[in-house]
Amino acid sequence: MAVCYNKLWKLLIDRKMKKKDLIAATGISRGTMAKLGHDENVNTDVIVRICKALECDVGDIMEIVPETTQK
């Protein structure tokens, strides 16, 4: 299983926020933002900080998707 943060990007667009605004609101690093942009795993503390800043739930910013197997 893999994580996907497409919901986070849509939420930022809906709220007219840029990634740099989210960085400022949460205090996360640019490196962590890059991980989110590449759908990589991040610490749960980061997820909680994002949810607090955006006043939303975990399911509003991420989802678990099955990994596809290529042959």
Side-chain angles (χ1 to χ4, degrees):
M1 296 289 194
V3 293
C4 178
Y5 298 103
N6 287 342
K7 289 182 174 185
L8 172 60
W9 311 130
K10 182 177 180 338
L11 187 59
L12 290 180
I13 290 168
D14 291 345
R15 296 191 183 190
K16 295 178 175 41
M17 288 180 73
K18 297 180 187 258
K19 290 180 181 180
K20 66 178 181 178
D21 299 327
L22 185 62
I23 289 171
T26 59
I28 62 176
S29 70
R30 292 177 69 199
T32 299
M33 184 59 75
K35 282 184 171 186
L36 291 166
H38 290 102
D39 289 333
E40 295 178 15
N41 292 328
V42 295
N43 190 310
T44 52
D45 177 59
V46 170
I47 301 299
V48 170
R49 287 160 60 186
I50 292 170
C51 288
K52 283 183 181 179
L54 298 177
E55 297 178 350
C56 66
D57 197 283
V58 175
D60 297 328
I61 63 168
M62 64 182 286
E63 63 185 330
I64 307 296
V65 293
E67 293 185 46
T68 56
T69 357
Q70 295 183 6
K71 294 183 179 183

